Amino acid sequence: MELAWYALLGLFFAGYLVLAGYDYGVGLLLAGDADVSRRRAALNAVGPFFLGNEVWLVAAAGILFGAFPVLEGELLAGSYPAVATALVGVILVTAGVQLRSRPGSGGARAAWDRVIVVGSLLAALGWGVVLAGLLQGVPLQADGHVAGVTHLFTPFAAATGLAVVALVVAHGASFLALRLPAVEGDRLRPLARRLLLTAIVAVGTAAVVGLFSDRVRAAAQRPAVGVLLAVLLVAALLAARVALGRRRLGVAFAATATALALPVLLVGATLWPYVLVSTVEPSASLTVADAAASGPTLRLLGWLTVPLLPALLGFQAMCVWIFRGRTDGRAPVYW
Amino acid sequence: MDTLLLARLQFAATASVHFLFVAVTLGLVTLLVGMQTAWVVTGNHRWERLTRFWGQLYVINYVLGIATGIVMEFQFGLNWSGLSRYVGNVFGAPLAIETLVAFFLESTFLGMWIFGWHRLRRGVHLALLYGVAITAYASAFWIMVANSWLQNPVGYEVRDGVAHLTDFPALLTNPALGMALGHVLSAALLTGGLLMAAISAWHLNRRTTDHALFRTSLRIGLVTAALAITLVQGFGFAQFGPVGGVQPTKFGGNPEADALIADWTARFGPGDYLPPALSNVGLGFMILIGFALGLLWLLVPLLWRDWIIRLRFPLWLLMLALPLPFVALILGWIAREVGRHPWVAYGLLPVDQAVSPVSPWLMASSLVGFTLLLGTLAVTNWVLLARHAARGAADPALGRRPAQPPADDSRPEPAFA
Ligand code: HEM
């Protein structure tokens, strides 16, 4: 039962990284485009999906609190600066995207666009560091609390944060190549391929830094799985690059989406059966089962929410279906 | 510096801002449902324009509701990790349900609603708004279930210092829940109704275009607000009984409170178990505002033959009254939340055990950072709301035909979007 909830938590967080990942990628790409109408087109390509994307984070946080309360407290408080950074980013993007077109003047829009760029950067960086923080273990004391927050500031965390930034930018570009009108989408393909190369380098660097980090090696319970998934991640990025070259845009997007989901799986599987591995007191490490809420709570949540999952996913699918295909002159413009 | 105090200040600041926006969200969406239904049923163009104009304001206001809501949700873990550790088994459940069955769907529906104009069939588009409204109310319900559990913990047993869920239905029949839910929901309706009436009054007073349109929304807003204030008062007074029953220390000294304090002193050690005076001052002023707003009923007869517009001063009264419900909302929350001091979960978990063991400096930077960020966004959002309200219903961006060049842009942008 704990495993099922852990998987669900992973599903929603990975879903968040995949879906909001392209929001942030599109957001970061605004920095490289001075053309106002292209910027607006890019944001409205995300358009109808935007609100539905970021709530995956809220759902993940809900599951975290409901099904893994102990983990919730220690993970968030123990990674305070990283979580706070990510949150500031999420809020800036939320407000920026929805409000940028509400002022009439171009100057104000340009300012909001900068807000979106900064927000996207902080969000990707912050969540990357949170994931890295899990993988390198935390100073969990015998009393069950994580001591201090300086444990986050390591080369591995920095490299992972940057790798996630590189991943979302590439993902955003592959989304736009798929979604914008054909001419515009085609224009973006070379850029997307270059960004994928950067992402491969960034992910590779983070992986190597991780392999050389004592803390990561000590925390990994199944290093082989971790390495395998990291290799898969790079393979997905390579596949995306090849697919873009052959104009298989759907395949490319699926590949970059996989690349954004994999880090979550990697962290979960490499640490299993633990979720917080202590760097100071081996017996204090927290297993998934210990972190979970007690039986009655999980059963209640199961009865109330699991039957609704098909509805949740169904309405998201409905949104994708209604607004499927490339944007064109008839697509609504609001952001 | 004291981590606990900083964490409490941060919670108060975020929750206040959050409440100012979600009350409007909840109130306006109810009125929007009525307007859009009228449009679909009658096919009358005027209802479409009303839906677009008020819908635009609703959507702008919604932004800060989510932004602050996300911060609230993460704040539990960031600043109050003891809360999840000791009572997370029980308190976490309603919050998890809220995010999954309410918030998640609400945003999904809203995205489709905003972009669905001219694209979806009218019935489907209307159904989406119903979805938004229903999930918004569901959200309010589950949040109040969670909050009421903190006010009056029920349906649990403590094993090894940790609370475990034993009786979920007890959370739903919590005496701290029913009347409070009615009170908050009608307060939200009051706020939404008065906002609508006041903005309409501004336009009618200025004699801007669209007289007929704003005349309609003035009537809707005023009648809604008047009905709602009566409900607010009714549910408000009805709360004293159940809340006083489960929280004897809340409304000042009485024998029960003294007995309870003696019991707590024995179990948790000596301490100050009475809430600060602030909470009862808040309560008093809220009730004053509640009575003042009851006078809205005096304006209702003036709707006859449009005397309310012709006399003009009633329009001014409505505009001047607009801040009152917002102030009362904050005061009400102060009364309810500060009134349960020094407990996070009343009689079960004291605040100092719930706060995260992080350094005061970290907490202080978080407090300053998030408060500045959300404060700035809130003010910006209100400025945008005011501008859009003042601009009138000529051509809101919401529901504009894709091919139509926007009238509000300094230069037409969407080349192909
Ligand atoms: C005659 C008028 C009113 C009375 C008798 C009244 C009564 C109460 C009482 C007794 C509480 C405290 C509940 C607790 O501590 O648990 C409360 C809370 C609250 N009040 Fe009022 N109130 C009135 C008017 C208003 C108005 C006009 C508003 C806002 C528009 C408002 C908004 C709130 C809110 C947001 C809370 C906190 C949440 C809750 O308890 O449900 N109240 N009210």
Side-chain angles (χ1 to χ4, degrees), chain A:
Chain A
M1 183 120 102
E2 289 90 5
L3 175 61
W5 279 104
Y6 198 50
L8 206 61
L9 174 63
L11 174 77
F12 273 90
F13 193 63
Y16 162 70
L17 286 184
V18 170
L19 295 171
Y22 69 71
D23 300 355
Y24 303 148
V26 170
L28 282 164
L29 287 169
L30 295 181
D33 201 337
D35 184 301
V36 276
S37 61
R38 277 211 296 267
R39 287 187 182 189
R40 187 154 202 197
L43 288 169
N44 281 285
V46 178
F49 313 129
F50 180 77
L51 283 174
N53 288 350
E54 66 180 2
V55 283
W56 285 70
L57 173 66
V58 181
I63 296 178
L64 185 62
F65 203 168
F68 297 96
V70 177
L71 174 63
E72 204 250 357
E74 290 317 317
L75 173 64
L76 299 189
S79 330
Y80 206 118
V83 176
T85 305
L87 275 187
V88 169
V90 170
I91 287 158
L92 291 179
V93 175
T94 278
V97 170
Q98 298 185 65
L99 296 179
R100 74 172 295 274
S101 293
R102 305 289 70 84
S105 82
R109 284 189 192 178
W112 275 117
D113 288 351
R114 275 195 286 280
V115 168
I116 300 176
V117 172
V118 173
S120 305
L121 181 69
L122 294 180
L125 205 61
W127 295 124
V129 173
V130 171
L131 286 174
L134 281 169
L135 206 54
Q136 63 186 8
V138 292
L140 195 62
Q141 313 270 317
D143 67 359
H145 287 299
V146 177
V149 292
T150 43
H151 63 92
L152 280 175
F153 302 98
T154 62
F156 175 61
T160 312
L162 291 177
V164 174
V165 174
L167 277 175
V168 300
V169 185
H171 185 44
S174 97
F175 169 78
L176 287 179
L178 176 69
R179 171 91 170 140
L180 284 178
V183 189
E184 281 298 308
D186 223 38
R187 202 184 54 83
L188 276 175
R189 277 194 313 133
L191 174 68
R193 297 193 64 205
R194 258 177 286 136
L195 290 171
L196 275 165
L197 206 57
T198 324
I200 293 171
V201 174
V203 170
T205 314
V208 172
V209 176
L211 284 176
F212 281 103
S213 148
D214 295 337
R215 276 175 55 188
V216 176
R217 281 211 306 272
Q221 308 294 315
R222 292 150 201 277
V225 178
V227 171
L228 180 74
L229 288 171
V231 170
L232 263 180
L233 210 174
V234 174
L237 293 173
L238 282 170
R241 212 175 120 79
V242 173
L244 274 175
R246 300 194 181 153
R247 290 174 201 271
R248 304 286 302 276
L249 301 172
V251 176
F253 180 68
T256 51
T258 313
L260 269 155
L262 278 175
V264 178
L265 186 63
L266 191 156
V267 171
T270 312
L271 296 181
W272 179 265
Y274 293 102
V275 52
L276 288 183
V277 178
S278 174
T279 49
V280 287
E281 174 74 49
S283 62
S285 293
L286 190 68
T287 63
V288 172
D290 290 340
S294 49
T297 310
L298 291 185
R299 267 194 300 282
L300 168 82
L301 288 180
W303 281 110
L304 273 173
T305 57
V306 173
L308 276 161
L309 275 185
L312 298 192
L313 303 180
F315 281 118
Q316 289 256 329
M318 171 181 162
C319 184
V320 174
W321 175 251
I322 292 175
F323 300 98
R324 69 189 177 278
R326 293 184 182 274
T327 49
D328 54 26
R330 291 179 303 113
V333 175
Y334 184 75
W335 299 149

Side-chain angles (χ1 to χ4, degrees), chain B residues 7-164:
Chain B
R8 293 183 63 201
L9 283 176
Q10 181 167 6
F11 197 86
T14 330
S16 304
V17 181
H18 180 63
F19 216 75
L20 294 176
F21 287 91
V22 292
V24 173
T25 301
L26 212 53
L28 272 188
V29 79
T30 318
L31 297 171
L32 276 175
V33 161
M35 292 177 172
Q36 193 172 355
T37 309
W39 167 32
V40 171
V41 172
T42 64
N44 186 332
H45 181 54
R46 175 148 44 109
W47 291 113
E48 175 184 5
R49 297 193 54 215
L50 279 170
T51 313
R52 277 180 63 190
F53 175 73
W54 294 104
Q56 169 91 70
L57 298 185
Y58 164 78
V59 172
I60 295 177
N61 174 79
Y62 186 80
V63 177
L64 259 260
I66 328 182
T68 49
I70 295 178
V71 178
M72 293 282 289
E73 199 183 0
F74 278 91
Q75 212 177 120
F76 288 127
L78 287 171
N79 293 355
W80 300 98
S81 60
L83 187 64
S84 30
R85 171 173 297 265
Y86 299 113
V87 299
N89 280 319
V90 197
F91 176 64
L95 283 188
I97 298 171
E98 190 265 342
T99 55
L100 285 170
V101 310
F103 197 179
F104 191 86
L105 285 178
E106 184 182 0
S107 269
T108 311
F109 290 145
L110 187 63
M112 287 193 266
W113 187 72
I114 294 175
F115 283 84
W117 299 77
H118 311 297
R119 181 148 191 150
L120 297 170
R121 270 187 290 135
R122 284 202 186 166
V124 178
H125 193 230
L126 177 63
L128 286 172
L129 186 64
Y130 272 86
V132 175
I134 292 169
T135 46
Y137 274 87
S139 195
F141 173 76
W142 288 111
I143 289 298
M144 286 302 288
V145 170
N147 175 274
S148 301
W149 191 83
L150 296 180
Q151 301 291 339
N152 177 38
V154 287
Y156 70 97
E157 74 184 8
V158 177
R159 269 180 273 128
D160 308 324
V162 172
H164 295 272

Side-chain angles (χ1 to χ4, degrees), chain B residues 19 144 147 151 176-177 179-184 186-188 190-191 229 232-240 243 247 250-251 283 286-291 293 324-337 339:
Chain B
F19 216 75
M144 286 302 288
N147 175 274
Q151 301 291 339
L177 173 64
M179 296 302 148
L181 181 67
H183 190 59
V184 189
S186 34
L190 166 69
T191 313
I229 184 63
V232 167
Q233 293 170 341
F235 282 117
F237 282 114
Q239 270 190 92
F240 279 106
V243 173
Q247 298 185 324
K250 191 168 235 171
F251 303 126
L283 187 73
M286 172 189 63
I287 295 179
L288 267 182
I289 293 180
F291 282 128
L293 287 175
L324 292 181
F326 291 94
V327 177
L329 285 171
I330 303 284
L331 294 175
W333 274 108
I334 290 179
R336 186 162 167 102
E337 303 302 292

Side-chain angles (χ1 to χ4, degrees), chain B residues 7 10 23 42 88 116 186-187 237 257 263 265 306-308 339:
Chain B
Q10 181 167 6
T42 64
S186 34
F237 282 114
D263 173 45
T265 313
D306 284 340
W307 278 112
I308 189 166

